Amino acid sequence: MSNEVKKTYTDAELDKMSNAELAALGTELDDVTVAYRKERFPLENDPQEKRAAAGINTWLAISLLAGIAFLGIYIFWPWQPKFHGDEGLWIFSLYTPLLGLTSGLAFIALGVAIVQYVKKFIPEEISVQRRHDGRSSELDRRTTTALLNDAWETSTFGRRKAMQGLLGGAGLFAGLMLIAPMGGLIKNPWKPRHAMDYHGDGTLWTQGWSMLRDNPGLKIYLGRDTGAVAEAHTNERGAKHYTTQGVSRLVRMRPEDLAAASMETIFPLLEEDVNDGDKYDPTRDVYEEHMHSLHGPRNPVMLIRLRSQDAARATERQGQEDFHYGDFYAYSKICTHIGCPTSLYEAQTNRILCPCHQSQFDALAYGRPVFGPAARALPQLPITVDEEGYLIAKGDFIEPVGPAFWERKS
């Protein structure tokens, strides 16, 4: 470009220039050389132009419809979990695939439409610019605006109202698809969402043991997991089927069931769901309730039976002096670091170990941390035995189970 280009203009001179003149001046002032430029459709009413616009509008319409379908499925489709044997399982099983299909189709169609528009309507152009430093002047700002206006006009998008509407709608629903799922994450973690059961009431500080909060007369046994599964049966015609009738996944424990210097993972077991010992009934099916207890995310508890000499020197936490029963201590199995299972008990040192990040807790000192990243003691479950000699919970944990609670006292 020539170095003779006039670079100072008054506002009156700029006002007299057309957009095309300002655009041309802008390229000169920006040291831009347009080496090649070709309009995509130089002739008016070109049939190929109409076909190209129709194709892009089709992709935008597909994106728009897929976005609407995504939101409709996300809001109205039955999303409550269903399990084998439940009515509506196949409908529930389609929920996530349909969300993935509609969202993927919407974004892919929108992307294809944008790429096709750039390839078919934006003029082909090869430009070379020499970069320069410094703040832009009023002249540069005016000419840059003219260049943008020129790009808008030559792209022909400004006169394509149907395409504008479709692109706006597709873009809107694409944004909603990104934002809408976030609504499921914005919840009050302390608001009860259902009646108290083996999963608590839906809040972060409740679990199966919390059923004792509002009903202290309720009996909850320390249930041992037997690992039992459905049993095979053969009917009179020789056909084999599986059933959980008479199968007890959780059973009650007595103190003599656990040897000294050993540990057992136990789960809450309501009296009404007991089906073992003298209460065993081969016609009852309590397997589903037992599995709900096992799947409660904060239900697992480590029941540890210390040696008598070790229990004699155990340090009790203030306010929890009667939480243990003899040599038996029950600590939450949920690590107070980031919630891993503290599934290891080292009998020689009486330490509870978390295998995820090597946190260690002292079973002789109310489960306080002695090594690793965990900074809070394991919550202790108050336990005792009932009139029949079975181990039961005396109450709920007195502080939230797991990590990152400012309500914790430890």
Side-chain angles (χ1 to χ4, degrees), residues 315-325 328-332 365-368 377-383 394 396-399 408-410:
T315 302
E316 310 298 342
R317 192 174 182 182
Q318 184 177 3
Q320 300 182 16
E321 293 85 357
D322 61 345
F323 275 27
H324 67 100
Y325 174 75
F328 292 83
Y329 288 75
Y331 297 106
S332 169
Y366 53 85
R368 66 180 179 87
L378 294 172
Q380 186 174 354
L381 181 72
I383 60 173
K394 285 199 299 185
D396 188 19
F397 294 100
I398 63 173
E399 58 183 335
R408 290 184 59 91
K409 301 177 181 179
S410 59

Side-chain angles (χ1 to χ4, degrees), residues 37-220:
R37 181 183 177 89
K38 177 185 176 182
E39 300 290 336
R40 301 286 186 177
F41 302 103
L43 300 179
E44 294 185 8
N45 299 319
D46 190 331
Q48 292 186 356
E49 179 182 3
K50 294 181 179 179
R51 285 195 294 270
I56 294 171
N57 286 341
T58 300
W59 283 110
L60 290 174
I62 292 174
S63 178
L64 177 60
L65 292 175
I68 294 174
F70 174 91
L71 290 178
I73 293 169
Y74 181 77
I75 296 172
F76 300 110
W77 197 272
W79 58 268
Q80 290 80 4
K82 301 289 184 181
F83 303 96
H84 290 293
D86 292 346
E87 184 178 356
L89 173 62
W90 71 274
I91 296 178
F92 163 73
S93 66
L94 295 176
Y95 181 65
T96 300
L98 286 176
L99 289 180
L101 178 65
T102 53
S103 62
L105 181 61
F107 284 113
I108 290 174
L110 180 59
V112 170
I114 294 174
V115 171
Q116 289 295 309
Y117 189 83
V118 172
K119 293 181 65 175
K120 294 183 178 180
F121 287 98
I122 302 297
E124 296 180 78
E125 182 177 289
I126 299 177
S127 302
V128 180
Q129 180 181 23
R130 293 190 297 275
R131 300 296 300 273
H132 59 84
D133 299 326
R135 184 180 178 182
S136 298
S137 64
E138 175 63 24
L139 177 60
D140 289 335
R141 291 194 290 270
R142 294 284 288 272
T143 54
T144 299
T145 301
L147 287 170
L148 294 174
N149 290 334
D150 180 68
W152 173 263
E153 293 174 1
T154 56
S155 71
T156 71
F157 186 73
R159 60 184 173 85
R160 301 182 186 279
K161 303 302 181 183
M163 191 178 293
Q164 290 179 34
L166 288 171
L167 178 61
L172 172 64
F173 279 92
L176 290 176
M177 283 190 293
L178 295 175
I179 296 173
M182 301 299 177
L185 302 177
I186 305 174
K187 294 181 179 179
N188 181 359
W190 318 120
K191 179 182 178 181
R193 306 191 182 281
H194 53 75
M196 196 77 74
D197 56 19
Y198 282 122
H199 292 267
D201 60 7
T203 60
L204 290 178
W205 49 19
T206 62
Q207 11 65 36
W209 308 101
S210 300
M211 291 185 283
L212 290 167
R213 290 187 181 181
D214 300 328
N215 192 356
L218 191 68
K219 180 178 287 187
I220 298 182

Side-chain angles (χ1 to χ4, degrees), residues 270-283:
L270 287 171
E271 185 176 19
E272 62 192 56
D273 297 326
V274 170
N275 195 25
D276 64 75
D278 58 344
K279 294 186 177 182
Y280 180 72
D281 182 354
T283 64

